[in-house]
């Protein structure tokens, strides 16, 4: 099956610094990728839709300037958490739908655990 | 806007027994997709089963089957012969026919007792 990777899998940073998380589709091209945030024992909360070649679409309540998304190529999207604070600590997951299948099956990355001290 | 509701925060099942996880959804669309995803402790999301709304036949994947009731907007997951490896958080999800954005339910934690 298709594979989506995320890097890093776990990151610890100091408050006030910025952290970049990469999401790559390894064996297919993805014009769209999705970024989710998940707290323990809770559901995935969609943060934004990353669009290759254009600006990301953010969900209501998500700060665009805090969570910068760049879809640099058809296989790479990045999420940068700027000026991170402890409340940004969470599990971040990306996903990418693979076009061409009969229902554009969506593939998920393994997630990135962010801890802000 | 579409919504997905999972009313069972936690469920338990004895190994080898059968368990059913509930899911209801709300949409005004006539064509869409429904999914069940499994998230084990590794937190990697795994597709368990999908159902196309235009298909009346319930989807089945080995020990996993669904009861899709379109009029009632209900989409339950039945796990037969439960195994220890089935222990995970299960999410019901909705996707419109056109578009790739998934709407997730709150999730159900499934515990399997040996």
């Amino acid at each position: 099956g298709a594979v989506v990777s995320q890097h890093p899998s776990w990151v610890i940073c100091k408050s006030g610094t910025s952290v970049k998380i990469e999401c790559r589709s390894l064996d297919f091209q993805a014009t769209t990728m999705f970024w989710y945030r998940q707290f323990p024992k809770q559901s995935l909360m969609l943060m934004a839709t990353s669009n290759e070649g254009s600006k990301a679409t953010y969900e209501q309540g998500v700060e665009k300037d805090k969570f910068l998304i760049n879809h640099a190529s058809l296989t790479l999207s990045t999420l940068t958490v700027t000026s991170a604070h402890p409340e940004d600590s969470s599990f971040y997951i990306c996903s990418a739908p693979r076009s061409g299948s009969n229902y554009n099956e969506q593939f998920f990355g393994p997630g990135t655990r962010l801890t802000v001290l | 806007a579409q919504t997905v509701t999972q009313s069972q925060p936690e469920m338990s099942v004895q190994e080898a027994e059968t368990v059913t996880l509930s899911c209801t959804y709300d949409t005004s669309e006539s064509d869409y997709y429904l999914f069940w995803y499994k998230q084990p402790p590794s937190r990697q999301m795994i597709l368990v089963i999908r159902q196309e709304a235009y298909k009346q036949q319930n989807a089945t994947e080995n020990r996993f089957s669904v009861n899709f009731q379109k009029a009632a907007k209900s989409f339950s997951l039945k796990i037969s012969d439960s195994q220890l490896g089935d222990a995970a958080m299960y999410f019901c999800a909705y996707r419109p026919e056109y578009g790739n954005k998934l709407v997730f339910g709150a999730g159900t934690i499934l515990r399997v007792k040996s």
Side-chain angles (χ1 to χ4, degrees):
Chain A
V3 177
V4 172
S5 70
Q6 279 184 244
H7 177 80
S9 56
W10 195 359
V11 57
I12 301 174
C13 69
K14 293 182 178 180
S15 185
T17 61
S18 294
V19 174
K20 180 185 286 188
I21 303 170
E22 293 185 348
C23 177
R24 292 181 185 273
S25 56
L26 298 184
D27 52 357
F28 67 99
Q29 294 181 333
T31 56
T32 300
M33 291 183 177
F34 298 97
W35 287 96
Y36 300 87
R37 184 174 182 176
Q38 185 183 32
F39 292 106
K41 295 187 178 182
Q42 293 189 24
S43 188
L44 281 70
M45 183 194 79
L46 179 64
M47 300 174 64
T49 303
S50 174
N51 303 299
E52 191 270 335
S54 63
K55 292 183 178 180
T57 304
Y58 290 82
E59 295 299 304
Q60 192 172 8
V62 177
E63 299 176 61
K64 300 178 182 181
D65 296 332
K66 180 149 190 73
F67 299 100
L68 299 179
I69 290 173
N70 182 30
H71 201 131
S73 72
L74 288 172
T75 59
L76 173 64
S77 175
T78 59
L79 168 68
T80 301
V81 183
T82 63
S83 186
H85 288 98
E87 56 266 30
D88 298 324
S89 298
S90 189
F91 193 70
Y92 293 87
I93 301 174
C94 71
S95 72
R98 185 176 63 179
S99 301
S101 61
N102 58 355
Y103 70 99
N104 293 350
E105 183 174 356
Q106 192 136 175
F107 295 90
F108 289 82
T112 296
R113 184 182 304 279
L114 170 64
T115 300
V116 184
L117 302 177
Chain B
Q2 296 91 359
T3 58
V4 177
T5 302
Q6 293 179 250
S7 58
Q8 306 155 316
E10 292 191 24
M11 292 284 284
S12 290
V13 64
Q14 199 70 33
E15 200 175 3
E17 297 295 308
T18 297
V19 65
T20 299
L21 307 184
S22 301
C23 172
T24 58
Y25 59 94
D26 189 25
T27 183
S28 58
E29 304 292 324
S30 58
D31 291 320
Y32 46 86
Y33 296 94
L34 296 166
F35 306 88
W36 278 98
Y37 285 93
K38 170 185 178 181
Q39 189 180 42
S42 69
R43 303 190 81 168
Q44 173 70 60
M45 295 288 283
I46 301 167
L47 176 64
V48 175
I49 200 167
R50 77 170 191 275
Q51 175 81 41
E52 291 92 335
Y54 66 87
K55 291 186 177 180
Q56 292 186 341
Q57 187 172 6
N58 289 324
T60 300
E61 288 288 343
N62 301 313
R63 297 183 295 108
F64 299 87
S65 61
V66 298
N67 183 3
F68 173 49
Q69 301 290 327
K70 190 173 184 179
K73 296 180 181 175
S74 171
F75 183 61
S76 61
L77 174 70
K78 185 172 80 172
I79 305 175
S80 304
D81 185 25
S82 296
Q83 300 175 359
L84 294 177
D86 294 334
M89 193 154 187
Y90 286 81
F91 293 101
C92 178
Y94 166 98
R95 207 206 83 192
E97 182 184 17
Y98 299 107
N100 292 305
K101 191 182 292 188
L102 290 167
V103 178
F104 286 95
T108 297
I109 296 173
L110 177 65
R111 306 187 193 282
V112 181
K113 302 175 182 176
S114 59

